[in-house]
């Protein structure tokens, strides 16, 4: 009896081992090869699959090589940001496939295909990285799908209404004033002074988010900002490597640090939320910061339906606050730094923008109505977003088998939309697509794009960035206030080296020669 019992145990163990072995082999080889054959049969060209790594080694080598050399302003920025994807498109056509490890990636550049992908957000969903640690940076609205996304979007929407943005202008102004006062102390009178504006712009946009998200708790919000900044660096390293299932349980230095950061962020934001909820229960009116509006909107939704299931949990609110931080700070800081660099390269536009600002505000504090009247400024910001879109690529995955135009895609394919290529497409923008010409937006985005979905700095469709008006208003305020006080030109020490750390950063900072007006 004992022998037969041991035999049964051994048989079960062997079966489990065989099943697991098959699962690993299917994940690492048979599944990808089947998908490759399917894609080729449907007319797509691409690289042959290589065991486990796919094209990751070549992709990483190309990126490292590109990152090792700065470029000239006339060079192709895409060759530095997405060199491997660009080479694949040149070799295999605009709709071709590559491999991120064992996962096939189809590159999408046709504006009509992009329009369909963004419009049908229930068919083409956000791609989740296989490494669970990648989720530690942001979840919330950016990663949710279907009914849960609809619920969160509805609750968060009031925080970004134009009327609410008006109440956030003092926070924009205060944070910009602190940065400009610091510059006025550093820059001597009547002479230019070299200043790397990039760290200060990052700090300023972080301060704006701390103030607009958490109001009076903004000092605690600063802690979140610093922690999220560190977490982003870890996540970017993870995204560029293959995830071996189960490796997240290894007690590596990075794994432990990422979990520690997440714990600190959760505790800090939960403390702020609990404190705010107690104040609201005690009869205090909700504040006009993002958290106050979010809590009020959430309570209304619960009261209206008489069930907590229609609202967000505290854990879900924490994720939305983390997203405010990451998306809000990153998007605006990169928009500001590239705007200043482009205005250095094109001083005639710096003069035009300053004249407009002084005509509307003089040296007075910018107000909401005046910021909305800055037409030249809006054109400049749009052209900056075209040449340096905050996010160089968007990722989606089709849940089921789909027909996308003439493409017939099997279920589960990762689709990458290279915004950086679409923004430089000569067929849409003309032969001068590489040039800084804000006048192309003089009659608005729709006229500039000739109706194509080819200008996507904030994504598109129902899932277009909820904070785009927030980012644009903050950027207008900051640039207007800088133009009131300073003129600036590129320092000889500036090195042009855009590279992607989620968003497009200047690799060696942005040293400018600042001069007081």
């Amino acid at each position: 009896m004992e022998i037969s019992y041991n035999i049964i145990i051994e048989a079960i163990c062997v079966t489990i081992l065989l099943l697991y072995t098959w699962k690993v082999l299917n994940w690492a080889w048979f599944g990808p090869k089947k998908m490759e054959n399917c894609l080729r049969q449907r007319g797509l060209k691409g690289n042959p699959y290589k065991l486990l790594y796919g094209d990751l080694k070549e992709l990483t080598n190309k990126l490292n090589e590109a990152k090792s050399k700065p470029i000239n302003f006339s060079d192709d920025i895409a060759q530095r940001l997405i060199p491997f994807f660009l080479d694949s498109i040149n070799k295999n056509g605009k709709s071709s496939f590559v491999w991120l490890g064992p996962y096939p990636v189809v590159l999408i550049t046709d504006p009509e295909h992009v329009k369909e992908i963004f419009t049908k957000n229930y068919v083409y969903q956000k791609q989740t990285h296989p490494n669970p640690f990648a989720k530690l940076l942001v979840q919330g609205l950016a990663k949710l799908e279907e009914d849960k996304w609809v619920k969160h979007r509805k609750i968060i929407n009031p925080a970004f209404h134009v009327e609410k943005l008006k109440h956030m202008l003092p926070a924009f102004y205060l944070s910009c004033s602190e940065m400009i006062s610091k510059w006025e102390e550093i820059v001597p009178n009547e002479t230019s002074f070299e200043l790397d504006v990039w760290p200060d712009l990052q700090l300023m946009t972080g301060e704006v988010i701390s103030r607009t998200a958490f109001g009076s708790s903004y000092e605690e919000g600063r802690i979140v900002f610093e922690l999220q900044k560190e977490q982003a660096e870890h996540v970017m390293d993870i995204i560029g490597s293959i995830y071996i299932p189960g490796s997240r349980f290894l007690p590596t230095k990075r794994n432990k640090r990422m979990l520690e950061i997440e714990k600190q962020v959760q505790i800090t934001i939960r403390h702020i939320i609990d404190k705010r909820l107690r104040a609201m229960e005690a009869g205090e009116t909700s504040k006009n910061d993002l958290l106050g509006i979010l809590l009020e909107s959430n309570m209304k939704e619960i009261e209206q339906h008489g069930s907590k299931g229609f609202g967000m949990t505290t854990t879900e609110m924490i994720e939305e606050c983390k997203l405010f931080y990451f998306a809000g700070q990153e998007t605006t800081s990169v928009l500001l730094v590239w705007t200043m660099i482009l205005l250095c390269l094109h001083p005639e536009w710096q003069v035009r923008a300053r004249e407009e600002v002084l005509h509307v505000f003089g040296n007075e504090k910018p107000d909401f109505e005046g910021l909305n009247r800055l037409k030249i400024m809006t054109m400049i910001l749009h052209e900056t977003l075209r040449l340096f879109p905050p996010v160089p690529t968007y990722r989606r995955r089709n849940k089921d088998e789909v027909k996308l135009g003439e493409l017939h895609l099997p279920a589960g394919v990762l689709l990458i939309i290279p915004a950086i290529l679409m923004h430089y497409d000569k067929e849409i923008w003309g032969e001068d697509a590489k040039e800084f010409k804000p006048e192309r937006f003089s009659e608005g985005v729709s006229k500039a794009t000739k109706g194509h979905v080819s200008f996507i700095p904030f994504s598109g469709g129902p899932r277009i960035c909820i904070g785009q008006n927030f980012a644009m208003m903050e950027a207008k305020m900051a640039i207007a206030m800088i133009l009131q006080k300073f003129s600036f030109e590129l320092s000889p020490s500036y090195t042009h080296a855009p590279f992607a750390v989620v968003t497009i950063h200047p690799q060696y900072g942005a040293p400018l020669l600042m001069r007081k007006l």
Side-chain angles (χ1 to χ4, degrees), residues 7 23 42 44 77 126 133 160 172 180 185 218 224 258 304 348 386 404 415 418 429 448 471 479 517:
I7 290 170
K23 195 173 178 181
R42 294 177 183 190
L44 285 162
I77 183 178
K126 288 289 187 84
F133 273 8
F160 292 95
F172 294 173
I180 285 168
E185 286 178 21
Y218 117 96
V224 176
M258 290 185 78
Q304 188 180 334
E348 72 282 8
R386 185 183 72 82
L404 178 63
L415 308 172
W429 301 99
I479 296 294
L517 294 174

Side-chain angles (χ1 to χ4, degrees), residues 253-313:
K253 187 178 178 182
R254 171 178 283 159
N255 285 0
K256 286 195 282 189
R257 179 57 186 156
M258 290 185 78
L259 289 172
E260 189 183 310
I261 290 171
E262 173 64 5
K263 186 179 177 183
Q264 281 182 268
V265 168
Q266 290 276 342
I267 288 170
T268 305
I269 300 178
R270 188 175 290 273
H271 172 69
I272 296 169
I273 289 173
D274 288 345
K275 191 165 63 176
R276 191 70 65 86
L277 284 171
R278 284 196 300 273
M280 288 170 78
E281 284 164 9
E284 279 189 32
T285 54
S286 64
K287 296 179 172 62
N288 275 316
D289 54 28
L290 291 168
L291 179 59
I293 299 163
L294 184 61
L295 289 170
E296 187 179 20
S297 178
N298 195 48
M299 281 181 173
K300 279 181 182 173
E301 200 65 21
I302 292 168
E303 285 169 12
Q304 188 180 334
H305 294 93
S307 167
K308 283 191 173 181
F310 285 88
M312 284 194 271
T313 64

Side-chain angles (χ1 to χ4, degrees), residues 348-362 374 376 483:
E348 72 282 8
W349 281 98
Q350 185 182 149
V351 169
R352 287 184 66 181
R354 183 177 294 105
E355 285 173 351
E356 180 183 56
V357 167
L358 293 176
H359 174 72
V360 175
F361 303 117
L374 297 177
I376 291 169
L483 289 169

Side-chain angles (χ1 to χ4, degrees), residues 91-130:
K91 184 172 78 173
N92 296 313
K94 283 194 169 184
S95 296
S96 53
F97 66 89
V98 296
W99 296 90
L100 291 185
Y103 307 103
V105 172
V106 175
L107 301 165
I108 304 290
T109 57
D110 185 297
E112 287 305 308
H113 293 169
V114 173
K115 181 181 179 180
E116 187 168 342
I117 289 168
F118 282 155
T119 304
K120 296 182 177 177
N121 59 304
Y122 48 91
V123 175
Y124 303 96
Q125 301 192 339
K126 288 289 187 84
Q127 180 254 349
T128 304
H129 195 273

Side-chain angles (χ1 to χ4, degrees), residues 3-13:
I3 293 171
S4 62
Y5 180 73
N6 287 340
I7 290 170
I8 291 167
I9 295 294
E10 285 172 13
I12 291 170
C13 289

Side-chain angles (χ1 to χ4, degrees), residues 95 193 328 365 418:
S95 296
F193 180 84
K365 176 178 174 181

Side-chain angles (χ1 to χ4, degrees), residues 56-57 59-60 63 129 234-242:
L56 263 179
K57 284 183 179 176
L59 188 149
T60 305
L63 269 176
H129 195 273
H234 294 309
V235 168
M236 280 311 292
D237 285 343
I238 277 173
I239 287 172
S241 60
I242 289 177

